[in-house]
């Protein structure tokens, strides 16, 4: 989704990928940012928090008329129906990020 959003073009691909991973881990309650992830990514969890919040905001307030083909593709069970995952509540995300 970030490929069509100009605001994300300035972010480094590695930071964007790390932030997406942290958001996914948080959304699915699979644990936080471990020392191993920090070591291999080069980013601390605190470095990623602002971008994670922006990504969740993008998921929450995405226009429904754009990217229908992409949404339909990733709503299929072959792709684990990731387009159907409900974004996190912004306050709960903030609480989860600051507590870790």
């Amino acid at each position: 989704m970030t490929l069509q959003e100009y605001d994300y073009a300035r972010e480094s691909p590695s930071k964007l990928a790390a932030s997406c991973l942290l958001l996914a881990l948080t959304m699915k309650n699979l644990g936080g940012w471990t020392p191993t992830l920090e070591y291999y990514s080069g980013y601390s969890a605190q470095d990623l928090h602002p971008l994670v919040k922006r990504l969740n905001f993008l998921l929450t307030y995405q226009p429904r008329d754009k990217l229908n083909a992409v949404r339909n593709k990733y709503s299929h069970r072959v792709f684990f129906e990731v387009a159907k995952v409900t974004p996190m509540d912004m306050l709960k995300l903030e609480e989860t990020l600051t507590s870790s």
Side-chain angles (χ1 to χ4, degrees):
M1 291 183 61
T2 60
L3 292 175
Q4 277 77 23
E5 300 292 332
Y6 186 73
D7 292 342
Y8 294 90
R10 66 177 177 205
E11 300 294 344
S12 73
S14 63
K15 188 172 187 179
L16 190 56
S19 297
C20 288
L21 178 59
L22 179 54
L23 179 58
L25 290 171
T26 306
M27 288 173 78
K28 298 303 259 177
N29 200 24
L30 296 173
W33 202 245
T34 65
T36 303
L37 289 170
E38 183 173 341
Y39 176 80
Y40 284 107
S41 72
Y43 298 105
S44 70
Q46 288 73 27
D47 295 338
L48 303 175
H49 287 179
L51 188 51
V52 168
K53 292 176 200 173
R54 285 179 49 216
L55 288 167
N56 191 63
F57 185 83
L58 178 66
L59 291 173
T60 304
Y61 297 103
Q62 60 184 318
R64 293 291 172 194
D65 57 335
K66 289 174 54 178
L67 306 174
N68 283 328
V70 174
R71 192 169 294 102
N72 288 338
K73 177 180 178 178
Y74 288 98
S75 292
H76 194 273
R77 66 173 226 232
V78 171
F79 296 103
F80 303 101
E81 299 177 336
V82 295
K84 295 179 180 178
V85 174
T86 306
M88 287 191 73
D89 177 70
M90 296 299 278
L91 293 175
K92 183 176 180 188
L93 176 63
E94 176 73 31
E95 179 182 299
T96 304
L97 291 175
T98 55
S99 68
S100 57

